[in-house]
Amino acid sequence: MTTSKPTPVIFNHSAAIDDFVSTAVLSSMPNIEIKGIVVTNADCIATPAMDTSSKVHQFLGLDKKGIPLTLSMSRGWNAFPWAYRKDCITMGTIESLYPYKSHVEPPYQSGEEMIETLLLEAMIMSDPVVVLATGPITAITDVLKKRPELIKGIKDVIWMGGAIFVKGNLYDKTVSIPREIANDKAEWNAFWDPFAVNEMFNRFSGVHMFPLDITDKAKITDKFKTALASQAKTFNLSQFVSEAYGLVKDEPFYEMWNTLATCFLGTSASTIFADPEEISLTIDEWGNDTQGWIHQMENRNPQSVYFNMKNSDAFYDYVLGQLKMNV
């Protein structure tokens, strides 16, 4: 009996609470081999983000597998609000992480250097990797601007970002954003560095995009939370995620943005997602009322945009199934 080789993945996130849930789900997938993790100092604060990531790394046993944990040296254009960025601090205090102390300290290993190394290895071995990015895409595009030939080491890009036919998420009642920049068209992962998104559109065709159009449908429902709490009595991975989402129980706008995109790599993806639409896209790099807005434009590389789930119950069932595990 033969078994298929796991898909190698570089995971680039920005240490938001849902990113750590995504890490848990990704690490539970038997068909995936995580080659390295890159944290971008975007929806987080670098040092506590790395400390919390180190604790999560240990809890999930990723350190024992030798999976490198790195920090991107990329810089954004529009900073995430501090009210969002501090979540990486509270995440590090959940009960599941009590036994762990951070094993990393500055200067941190460079995420870009790790990406370069992994893409070069992928090219040499003729085994290209999948890039999963649930935050800004800047770390990847910075590497490719420096060494464009390394694109041959990338098989696919999966990106959670943008808002195509729905409103963006720059403004909500929990934070204060200057009215002059709080346009209703941009999503934060794109707004942080719209120039990197344009670079991605220029270099890649067929990016698997999960914009707010679909992730807005991935709510943290009461039914899901109840099922998760029940599982948490038996499985510590469920307990970890239950504690994580418990931190945002009073934030009704919080969604499973990154977890949904991560599930595209799971074995049940064909039952969860409706077929994507192939759309040529651009992004407004400038403009007080449109910066970060992703919209259609002819004669650009077509991207694979996912707008709908085929079966939302299958999404929640898959996540819950993956979390029925003790690590």
Side-chain angles (χ1 to χ4, degrees), residues 165-239:
F165 299 122
V166 299
K167 288 186 177 182
N169 62 357
L170 298 192
Y171 178 79
D172 69 74
K173 295 179 181 179
T174 66
V175 297
S176 177
I177 301 174
R179 181 174 298 178
E180 290 78 8
I181 69 165
N183 73 74
D184 64 356
K185 299 176 176 64
E187 178 275 333
W188 270 109
N189 287 341
F191 188 64
W192 191 79
D193 186 357
F195 307 97
V197 176
N198 191 49
E199 185 77 17
M200 175 179 69
F201 289 157
N202 285 336
R203 291 187 181 273
F204 292 96
S205 294
V207 170
H208 299 282
M209 283 183 55
F210 292 82
L212 296 182
D213 305 61
I214 186 170
T215 61
D216 279 347
K217 299 165 186 173
K219 306 293 185 183
I220 306 175
T221 66
D222 288 340
K223 180 180 179 181
F224 173 78
K225 288 188 291 186
T226 298
L228 186 62
S230 177
Q231 290 185 185
K233 298 173 184 177
T234 305
F235 303 102
N236 67 355
L237 197 58
S238 292
Q239 178 65 26

Side-chain angles (χ1 to χ4, degrees), residues 94-199:
I94 65 172
E95 185 174 350
S96 291
L97 299 181
Y98 281 176
Y100 305 99
K101 302 294 182 183
S102 176
H103 287 175
V104 296
E105 59 182 25
Y108 304 107
Q109 182 180 351
S110 165
E112 285 73 16
E113 290 181 4
M114 184 196 72
I115 293 169
E116 284 191 43
T117 299
L118 291 176
L119 294 186
L120 183 58
E121 290 177 355
M123 288 176 59
I124 293 172
M125 301 298 294
S126 298
D127 188 18
V129 304
V130 171
V131 172
L132 171 63
T134 56
I137 197 69
T138 310
I140 306 301
T141 57
D142 280 355
V143 168
L144 295 180
K145 281 190 289 186
K146 178 184 175 184
R147 298 194 61 182
E149 75 278 8
L150 293 180
I151 196 171
K152 296 178 182 177
I154 298 176
K155 179 181 180 181
D156 283 309
V157 175
I158 301 164
W159 182 54
M160 187 275 123
I164 314 299
F165 299 122
V166 299
K167 288 186 177 182
N169 62 357
L170 298 192
Y171 178 79
D172 69 74
K173 295 179 181 179
T174 66
V175 297
S176 177
I177 301 174
R179 181 174 298 178
E180 290 78 8
I181 69 165
N183 73 74
D184 64 356
K185 299 176 176 64
E187 178 275 333
W188 270 109
N189 287 341
F191 188 64
W192 191 79
D193 186 357
F195 307 97
V197 176
N198 191 49
E199 185 77 17

